[in-house]
Amino acid sequence: MKPSKSASTSYSIDPIQIGDNYGPEFERAVLWLCLNDPSFGAIAFRTVGPEVFSTERDAVVFATGQQIFNNSASSNGRISHVTAVCIMAEIVRAMKRMSDGSSKKTTYTDCVKLLRVLMYQDPLRGTTAEYIRKTFSEFVTKSKVREALIASADLWESNDFAAIQEKITSAARTIEHTQDMDVGVRYFGLADRLKQYKANSLVSGRFPLGIQILDDKMRGGMERKKLGVIMGMAGRGKSQLVASAACAAIRHGLKVAIATLELSAIDYSQRIDSNLTGVPLNQIASFPDRYKADLARASVKTQDRLYLKEWGSNEANVMDIYLWLRALENKVQFHPDVLFVDYAELLRIPEKRGDRIDLGTTMRKLRQLAKDLDIAVWTPAQTNRKSFTSSLLSFGDIGEDVQIVQVADVVIGLCQTDLEKRSAPQRMRLVLLKNRIGGREGAVVDCESYTDTMSIVQCANQRTFGKAGAGKP
């Protein structure tokens, strides 16, 4: 809503609300942390008011907790841990003072129900809790800066620029008061370092693409907490490589999640079935009953190892994917090892750089998601039109935004000429353009592409191309 100006030249603005920006599950997670993490609760109760909550129920719960916190702090000067039990007792006392016909009684009854849910809710995972803390901190800072900008309107008219600067600077510093400072990692002695390195190797694991040369150069495959990009021209096999890599992960006993914004979930499911069974994709699509036995064997291989979700183009953002993965974990106890997002450029991207969408922000959010959920993430990216005739790709071929490859930990270029696309089997090259995991960028791998079974395999005989256009932009 636009700010409105009153007769006294003061400006007012509706507050930004948590639920409207991040969804009801995130809002409930904020309440849970307020009641279970004393330091987070103290920060929240001191920096925001109940108006930032999108439902009256959530606002009443927070306002009651804030009142208890403020009363306790003023009486003894110490930080008080406000629990769900304390808030419930206060709300029940308030309900007893209400008349039977009070309109507020229904809302307060809903508050009691919510508090019971929060009391018995499973604890938030460490990485998830950290994500909530960081995002809440950014939300508070954004709200304070927004309020400061509106409050500066009168100062602007009086040319009081020093006061404007002070207001905005003070609001921007809110983040200093809403985050615990990370002091970094202590550099261990030799024995401790070796122990840490070994533990990290065992914990992180490796998630192979199924292309041996590339997997070897990534020390066995993609790592947790990393973001990989597969760049290539439209129609050259990026989604096919996603399906092939997903099946390679499944064959290694890994759990896979696929968020598709281009193909339908059924299309992806049929591609996975075709790859795992060897039955041509068109046969499965046209005569599924004929291949029941093959599909049953594929079901055994993918049991509890694969979930797919379909969104339309520009219908979902990174937070939607995060909430989907959290729902999988909470409802069916499924936590993927690898997430494929096909593809990031089709996500809803509100941020702008000048007059263009800011893909870099979305890529950074995907990389943060990988870290927060302790998973590996892969996403395809489009290259420009001149790459149609390129035998080898370089970073200069990226289509939309060079930030895509700047943010990624691993970048693989998929190259295929028109002649190779018409050959049988089709030929293509995969170029390791960037590799923060194991270094050794520039490797070129000859592959054969079998579109009928959605598989991409490394050729037995590899040609020598020399160093490709690797290096960080």
Side-chain angles (χ1 to χ4, degrees), residues 46 98 138 141 182 231 308 366 385 419 466:
R46 284 171 172 166
M98 296 177 186
E138 293 171 351
T141 303
D182 183 356
M231 53 182 279
L308 306 101
L366 277 177
R385 284 176 293 188
L419 181 61

Side-chain angles (χ1 to χ4, degrees), residues 292-307:
K292 279 184 180 179
D294 299 282
L295 295 175
R297 285 192 291 272
S299 296
V300 172
K301 293 178 183 177
T302 58
Q303 187 174 13
D304 298 326
R305 294 182 188 168
L306 175 65
Y307 274 85

Side-chain angles (χ1 to χ4, degrees), residues 27-40:
E27 187 165 285
R28 196 171 81 174
V30 169
L31 286 175
W32 188 92
L33 277 178
C34 286
L35 305 180
N36 290 276
D37 184 334
S39 61
F40 181 87

